[in-house]
Amino acid sequence: MTVAKIKSFTHAAEKLGVRQPSVSLVIKDLEDDLQVRLFEKLGHKINLTAAGELLVQDAEDILSKVAGLRERMDELKGLKKGKLAIGGSPSSAASFLPFVVDSFKKQFSWVDTTLRIDRTANLEKRLLDGDLDVAILGRTPKSPLLVGELYQQDDIVAIAAPDHPLAKKSSVPLMRIAREPIIAEEKGSMVRDQLEERFARLGIPLMPKMELSSQIGARDALKNAVAGGLGVGFITRCHVKSDVEAGRLKIVKVPDFKLKRNNYLVVHKSRQSTPMVQAFVKILKREKGRW
């Protein structure tokens, strides 16, 4: 390109900081490879042949595309453009995750950010398939290709309507609660699985009077059912905090019941160090103290 612009091997070599024979050799090798003449000498000047003109046009186009590609890569490194697909369990979606996503979008408004709410097993599959960049799961990932770390931990508590007989007691054994109508999430949810395991230790089956889907809205339905006096429910403390403060529900203290609901930050090993994921994780950890 430099030889074509300056039309001199000697001056091109000076501009490039190399010896003139080196420039001539490169041109000769290129002509031999393409099997065409690229330059013709007219006196002390050289001009491009028709083949040379065509080569320069294509070379300029290629260099322009390479420059554009580098610029786009720099934009991506600087989080100026890009996409981020986030996944979350219904539990995280009902509490902190939408607020974290909103904080990310406010800071990186030019990033195409999407949020998908689904069950943990489905989210893990989407991470493995590359459909998601990062997700909040209700358990540690099963696949060795995924990396997970504990993000948040919350107590699972028993709740009842304020006028329920058990709500008026200072503490209630789990065996006593087991005799009440139980309102629980459907099988397969993290809270339900832990409840069944804990009840099994008591030697009694967990047979809920009402089972609710673990999708978004289920926790509100569970709280409404409990507040309406239909039975005793189990839910994570963060999801019932405002209801307790408002006097709508009451936490029943169960001394022999200590279960926790965990949320794990999970990413695919191949995407751990991508700028988008790192930026989101940074905001996620910064916002942690708010929930």
Side-chain angles (χ1 to χ4, degrees):
M1 293 292 294
T2 304
V3 175
K5 289 179 180 178
I6 298 178
K7 296 184 178 181
S8 168
F9 288 114
T10 302
H11 293 157
E14 291 175 354
K15 185 174 181 64
L16 295 171
V18 297
R19 297 178 63 188
Q20 187 270 331
S22 298
V23 174
S24 298
L25 182 60
V26 170
I27 297 299
K28 184 179 184 305
D29 287 343
L30 185 57
E31 289 179 331
D32 290 343
D33 186 51
L34 297 175
Q35 296 184 351
V36 293
R37 290 280 305 278
L38 300 175
F39 294 93
E40 57 184 2
K41 191 172 182 180
L42 298 174
H44 296 292
K45 290 187 177 182
I46 58 172
N47 290 319
L48 287 166
T49 63
E53 293 279 3
L54 182 61
L55 178 65
V56 167
Q57 290 176 11
D58 287 348
E60 287 177 340
D61 184 49
I62 291 171
L63 290 174
S64 176
K65 288 181 178 179
V66 170
L69 179 60
R70 284 177 176 169
E71 183 178 346
R72 289 195 293 274
M73 292 301 103
D74 289 340
E75 287 177 344
L76 185 58
K77 290 177 183 177
L79 290 174
K80 294 180 181 178
K81 287 184 180 179
K83 296 181 179 181
L84 183 68
I86 305 163
S89 63
S91 175
S92 65
S95 52
F96 63 89
L97 190 54
F99 300 101
V100 176
V101 173
D102 183 57
S103 294
F104 179 84
K105 292 178 72 172
K106 285 178 179 177
Q107 186 170 341
F108 302 102
S109 58
W110 50 88
V111 176
D112 182 9
T113 307
T114 58
L115 173 61
R116 182 180 184 86
I117 306 304
D118 208 337
R119 298 182 68 168
T120 290
N122 295 335
L123 293 175
E124 183 168 349
K125 183 179 184 302
R126 289 184 176 277
L127 283 167
L128 290 170
D129 291 342
D131 296 331
L132 293 176
D133 297 299
V134 59
I136 301 295
L137 306 186
R139 56 167 167 74
T140 55
K142 294 181 179 179
S143 171
L145 296 176
L146 301 179
V147 180
E149 64 174 279
L150 181 63
Y151 170 70
Q152 183 198 52
Q153 193 173 60
D154 197 11
D155 295 326
I156 298 174
V157 296
I159 56 173
D163 58 353
H164 192 286
L166 298 186
K168 300 174 183 179
K169 296 181 178 294
S170 58
S171 66
V172 182
L174 187 58
M175 186 67 80
R176 171 65 184 85
I177 289 181
R179 300 205 302 266
E180 294 291 322
I182 302 295
I183 301 172
E185 295 179 9
E186 65 181 346
K187 282 181 174 290
S189 73
M190 297 298 109
V191 173
R192 175 64 178 271
D193 288 347
Q194 291 193 65
L195 282 177
E196 289 191 340
E197 183 180 337
R198 185 67 186 86
F199 271 65
R201 289 184 205 164
L202 294 176
I204 55 176
L206 177 63
M207 300 179 65
K209 178 180 180 180
M210 182 183 296
E211 287 189 4
L212 300 169
S213 166
S214 59
Q215 298 302 312
I216 294 178
R219 286 164 187 81
D220 287 335
L222 188 151
K223 291 188 291 184
N224 289 337
V226 172
L230 297 182
V232 176
F234 292 89
I235 194 170
T236 46
R237 188 184 296 274
C238 68
H239 291 133
V240 77
K241 181 180 178 182
S242 60
D243 298 274
V244 172
E245 292 174 348
R248 183 167 175 264
L249 292 169
K250 188 168 182 179
I251 293 176
V252 180
K253 294 183 179 180
V254 186
D256 55 343
F257 181 79
K258 297 186 183 299
L259 296 181
K260 293 186 180 293
R261 173 68 158 84
N262 299 326
N263 282 307
Y264 292 87
L265 169 62
V266 182
V267 298
H268 196 287
K269 284 184 176 180
S270 65
R271 298 190 181 182
Q272 268 184 294
S273 58
T274 61
M276 294 295 176
V277 170
Q278 288 185 338
F280 178 75
V281 170
K282 184 177 180 180
I283 291 176
L284 187 68
K285 292 182 176 180
R286 184 190 70 197
E287 298 286 320
K288 183 177 180 180
R290 294 179 56 188
W291 323 115

